[in-house]
Amino acid sequence: VQLQASGGGLVQSGGSLRLSCSTSGRIMYYTVAWFRQAPGKEREFVAASTSGGSGTFYADSVKGRFTISRTSTKNTVYLQMNSLTPEDTAVYYCAAQNVGGDISRGYGYWGQGTLVTVSS
């Protein structure tokens, strides 16, 4: 499985961005997630879409503002981010796992990051 994240950029507070994670391989059998790492902070879980797209999970900090979706036929996973704040500024990564368990752990496949900067 290979993943490539894109769609980052500079946006004003209150604005929106959509990140894309292009994948190769049989991604429909994997849980795909987005993580982010802000400057000086540890990487944190943002959202996940379970294999087959049957379930979605979100960190409390983004619930109600971010939406994860996937199109298996196009092997792409999106993260729609609305009502962005400067606290959302980070490098965003997409990742995949098929080991089950804790939805925020076990990710063995990672794409490169895409930088999201939210100005105040």
Side-chain angles (χ1 to χ4, degrees):
V1 173
Q2 294 182 322
L3 307 100
Q4 183 170 358
S6 62
L10 175 64
V11 63
Q12 288 188 333
S13 184
S16 299
L17 274 178
R18 188 177 77 163
L19 304 183
S20 298
C21 178
S22 299
T23 69
S24 64
R26 306 179 75 179
I27 199 65
M28 69 285 288
Y29 298 113
Y30 289 75
T31 291
V32 179
W34 288 93
F35 290 77
R36 67 185 182 186
Q37 187 166 19
K41 295 186 177 180
E42 294 187 352
R43 187 172 59 197
E44 64 174 353
F45 169 80
V46 175
S49 171
T50 56
S51 60
S54 60
T56 56
F57 299 85
Y58 298 93
D60 288 342
S61 58
V62 306
K63 205 171 291 184
R65 299 187 300 123
F66 290 12
T67 302
I68 188 170
S69 61
R70 61 195 295 169
T71 57
S72 296
T73 56
K74 295 182 179 180
N75 281 358
T76 302
V77 178
Y78 300 103
L79 184 69
Q80 177 66 43
M81 307 186 295
N82 299 327
S83 302
L84 287 162
T85 73
E87 288 68 37
D88 295 314
T89 294
V91 177
Y92 285 71
Y93 301 87
C94 57
Q97 62 106 309
N98 64 347
V99 298
D102 187 335
I103 199 70
S104 66
R105 296 179 179 273
Y107 290 85
Y109 303 92
W110 292 84
Q112 90 294 351
T114 186
L115 176 63
V116 172
T117 304
V118 184
S119 63
S120 57

